[in-house]
Amino acid sequence: METATSSDFSAALAAVAGVEGWLTDAQARRLWDAARALPASAQVVEIGSYRGRSTVVLARAAEARVVAIDPHAGNDRGPQEIEGYASEAESDHEAFLANLERAGVSSRVRHVRRFSADAHAEVDGPIDLLYVDGAHRYRPARDDIREWGARVAPGGTMLIHDGFSSVGVTLATLRLLVPSRSFRYLGRTGSLIAYRRERAPLARNALRQLAELPWFARNLLLKLAIVTRLRRGEWPY
Ligand SMILES: C[S@@+](CC[C@H](N)C(=O)[O-])C[C@H]1O[C@@H](n2cnc3c(N)ncnc32)[C@H](O)[C@@H]1O
């Protein structure tokens, strides 16, 4: 017999079945488990919502309200969609609102329509669960991990999409998290990499993350093969 939690998760997956985005079922489960473990008083923040796929999963799992930060401005929209998507951005925004409504979570999500760097004043206090899936270029990814990561409460969780997959996110991770003593690497679900804010042994924490580099190399080769049309298939994430 299904437990209440697994049937709730199945319902959340069904709610996002038609929502475009980049989140596998296994990654949705990881978000779900992290959000589900939190009390109603917790703070959940998502950077990069797109059409609401991950937002809906977080909001259906969490008792707490979710702050979703996304400018819907047409930049860094998805793989190979860095600039020039202004007209699609408005449709993304409308689809985001409609998808939240359809999934019954509109009242549980506060959308901050700003770039993450300009959204700090919109979020008070420490963050218990931070999901980073905004701009994937090096600088904004680095700033999200550094500035928003600094706001994760001790014992809190930071989940980052496209880790050891996107070049920008991976370089930011190598710079900030591989040599970190304050974020313990917990592992990954596909490209969704997970950290807990707690003191971590430097060498072991670094080695665990560096051990993911062969998988990163494999993702780069796959992307190269897709871009050069040597291979068809889904962009790895
Ligand atoms: C890869 S998509 C997010 C996918 C989403 N999490 C899902 O589950 O489908 C990236 C999103 O980040 C947003 N974005 C781009 N730059 C941003 C920034 N500086 N701050 C916050 N969001 C940003 C884009 O508008 C886009 O919707």
Side-chain angles (χ1 to χ4, degrees), residues 21-22 47-50 53-54 70-71 75-77 115-116 133-135:
W22 296 272
I47 298 174
S49 308
Y50 187 54
R53 193 169 166 81
S54 48
D70 194 313
N75 66 296
D76 300 280
R77 183 171 182 253
F115 291 93
S116 54
D133 192 17

Side-chain angles (χ1 to χ4, degrees), residues 56-220:
V56 167
V57 171
L58 287 169
R60 287 190 69 126
E63 279 187 59
R65 282 185 84 204
V66 174
V67 180
I69 301 170
D70 194 313
H72 289 139
N75 66 296
D76 300 280
R77 183 171 182 253
Q80 299 175 290
E81 297 180 344
I82 306 299
E83 278 181 344
Y85 291 86
S87 51
E88 289 84 352
E90 208 42 50
S91 333
D92 292 343
H93 181 63
E94 282 163 21
F96 171 74
L97 297 178
N99 288 331
L100 262 53
E101 190 65 35
R102 199 173 303 117
V105 296
S106 295
S107 62
R108 319 259 310 271
V109 175
R110 178 162 66 87
H111 181 211
V112 175
R113 195 172 180 180
R114 289 179 185 268
F115 291 93
S116 54
D118 303 329
H120 280 279
E122 300 278 347
V123 177
D124 285 335
I127 298 168
D128 301 287
L129 171 58
L130 174 66
Y131 182 46
V132 180
D133 192 17
H136 288 19
R137 287 168 294 113
Y138 172 69
R139 278 171 187 276
R142 177 200 64 189
D143 292 352
D144 282 345
I145 293 170
R146 187 164 58 199
E147 311 304 334
W148 285 94
R151 300 189 55 180
V152 174
T157 302
M158 176 164 66
L159 302 173
I160 304 173
H161 202 253
D162 294 295
F164 303 114
S165 178
S166 140
V167 173
V169 175
T170 303
L171 289 178
T173 301
L174 288 171
R175 162 110 187 258
L176 297 174
L177 294 168
V178 168
S180 171
R181 285 180 193 274
S182 51
F183 276 101
R184 183 187 295 269
Y185 181 57
L186 301 177
R188 65 176 174 83
T189 304
S191 75
L192 197 161
I193 56 178
Y195 296 85
R196 187 180 309 120
R197 182 147 198 194
E198 65 183 18
R199 192 154 174 82
L202 187 61
R204 217 173 73 209
N205 203 39
L207 285 173
R208 283 200 65 207
Q209 293 174 80
L210 292 173
E212 306 289 9
L213 290 181
W215 191 72
F216 175 48
R218 168 247 186 217
N219 287 329
L220 289 186

